[in-house]
Each structure stands twice: as C-alpha cells, then as structure tokens.
Amino acid sequence: MRHSENPPGALGRMSRRGFLRGTSAATAGLAALETAIATAGEAAAAEPPILGPDPVFLTLRVNGAARTVAVEPRTTLAEALRGPLDLTGTKIGCDRGACSACTVLLDGAPVASCSLLALDVGDRAVTTIEGLAGKDALHPVQAAFIAHDAMQCGFCTPGQALSAAALLERNRQPTADDVKHALSGHYCRCGTYTHVTEAVLAAAQVRRS
Ligand code: FES
Ligand code: FES
C-alpha cells in the first residue's frame, strides 16, 4: 500500500480549514472589490465636466467691466481679447511666451496673455492697454512714452507700457536698472530701449510729484 503524507482524517480537517480560509479570503476580496467600485464611482462623480471642443461661455473682468464671450476652451487670453472682445491693443508676436508683446495685467501683475487660457483667468481683473488711461487723462507712463519718443512701430509699446505701469505701482522711485530689469522680457525690434527707460523714469517722477 502506498504511503500517504496526509491520512484521510488529517486531510479532511485541513480541507475544512482550507475551505474556511478560502471562504474568508473570498469574502474579504468581495468587500474590497465593492469598496473599489464605490470609490471609482465617487471619483467619477467628482471629476470636472469635459469642456469643448465646442465654444463655452465665460465671463472675464476686463478693464473694470464684466464681459461674457463664447470661446473654444483652447482659446488663449490674447486671442479672446483680440477676437471676440475686440481689444486689439494687445499684440501677439511670438505666441509662445518669449517676446512679451502680449503682456496684460492680471490683478495688477504683468502676464503673457498668449500663454494663458482664457478659461483659466477666472475672476482675476484683466487690464489691457485700452484700460490703462484714466477717464480724463493718459496714464503718466503713456504720456511719458509720447513725450520721450519711446516708440517707433509701436508693436511692443502696449506691453512695455503695462509692465512699466505695474513697476511704478510697486516701486515709486525706480532706478534705471530697476526699469531695465522690469522690462527685460520685452523685445523691441526697433530698439527703443533707451527712450523707454527715460520715459519710465520721467513717469515715476510725475507720479511722485
Ligand atoms: S506673443 Fe506672447 S510672449 Fe510673445
Ligand atoms: S517700437 Fe517697434 S518693436 Fe518696439
């Protein structure tokens, strides 16, 4: 007779134990599966809705007014300003965040509007060159740009003026180096840099007085 490692009695006891272990494991696995399904369902419910490719409505606060536009979700702020909002003072040069021609102010800080989706602006205040002047007078930076002949073709000028205005908000008495640093991202093909620096320093003086 062949020797058996598991006599029938012992095998029976082990099988029952194994069966119970297997049942417990199956029950735990089922519970884990149910938990995973429930978690996945909650995650799916919490996911934001998919937008686009069709236009969506959004409201931007531009130059002190709420403006509602319908744009494709891929639309940059620069495109929204120049297109549906008809604010063409904002220029698009490189369209990739390198030249600063498209600079606008977002809550007072200069940003490259070609590199920001209009949908991501939220309720932050957008200031374009059209909104820089006061009701009755140009902003001191604008007046100084004219007085100091700080532009030629003018393509870079709106962005330069907005960055300069932001600088004067945070620094009442900038040095020439401060001005150059603040405007260092603005490319001017016409080479107006010297006159721009003079203009911004003059505007700072006007604001102080
Ligand atoms: S157009 Fe936006 S940085 Fe050049
Ligand atoms: S004035 Fe022409 S690019 Fe600056």
Side-chain angles (χ1 to χ4, degrees):
M1 182 177 167
R2 193 174 160 212
H3 175 70
S4 169
E5 292 178 358
N6 295 309
L11 184 61
R13 283 197 298 279
M14 286 184 69
S15 293
R16 279 197 297 278
R17 191 177 298 133
F19 173 77
L20 289 172
R21 277 187 189 141
T23 304
S24 299
T27 304
L30 187 59
L33 182 61
E34 285 173 348
T35 303
I37 291 171
T39 305
E42 285 167 14
E47 274 182 14
I50 294 173
L51 299 175
D54 295 331
V56 295
F57 285 98
L58 77 155
T59 300
L60 297 169
R61 288 200 296 134
V62 183
N63 299 333
R67 306 280 305 271
T68 299
V69 292
V71 293
E72 293 179 20
R74 63 178 177 156
T75 305
T76 64
L77 176 58
E79 291 167 339
L81 292 170
R82 290 182 53 82
L85 291 173
D86 199 25
L87 295 169
T88 55
T90 300
K91 305 303 182 196
I92 297 178
C94 65
D95 206 15
R96 60 181 62 184
C99 73
S100 298
C102 63
T103 296
V104 300
L105 303 184
L106 214 56
D107 280 348
V111 298
S113 61
C114 72
S115 301
L116 175 68
L117 292 176
L119 269 176
D120 287 338
V121 173
D123 66 354
R124 289 176 286 181
V126 181
T127 304
T128 70
I129 193 65
E130 291 89 345
L132 187 60
K135 270 190 179 169
D136 303 318
L138 292 175
H139 187 283
V141 166
Q142 292 172 304
F145 266 54
I146 295 169
H148 289 262
D149 196 18
M151 70 197 85
Q152 289 186 41
C153 77
F155 196 82
C156 70
T157 307
Q160 299 238 39
L162 286 164
S163 284
L167 168 67
L168 299 192
E169 286 299 321
R170 62 180 188 271
N171 183 350
R172 285 177 57 81
Q173 199 156 358
T175 63
D177 279 347
D178 293 334
V179 175
K180 288 174 189 171
H181 181 73
L183 301 183
S184 60
H186 292 265
Y187 290 174
C188 175
R189 292 180 193 175
C190 305
T192 60
Y193 300 111
T194 304
H195 286 197
V196 167
T197 302
E198 290 171 2
V200 179
L201 292 174
Q205 176 116 34
V206 168
R207 279 173 63 90
R208 286 198 301 276
S209 61

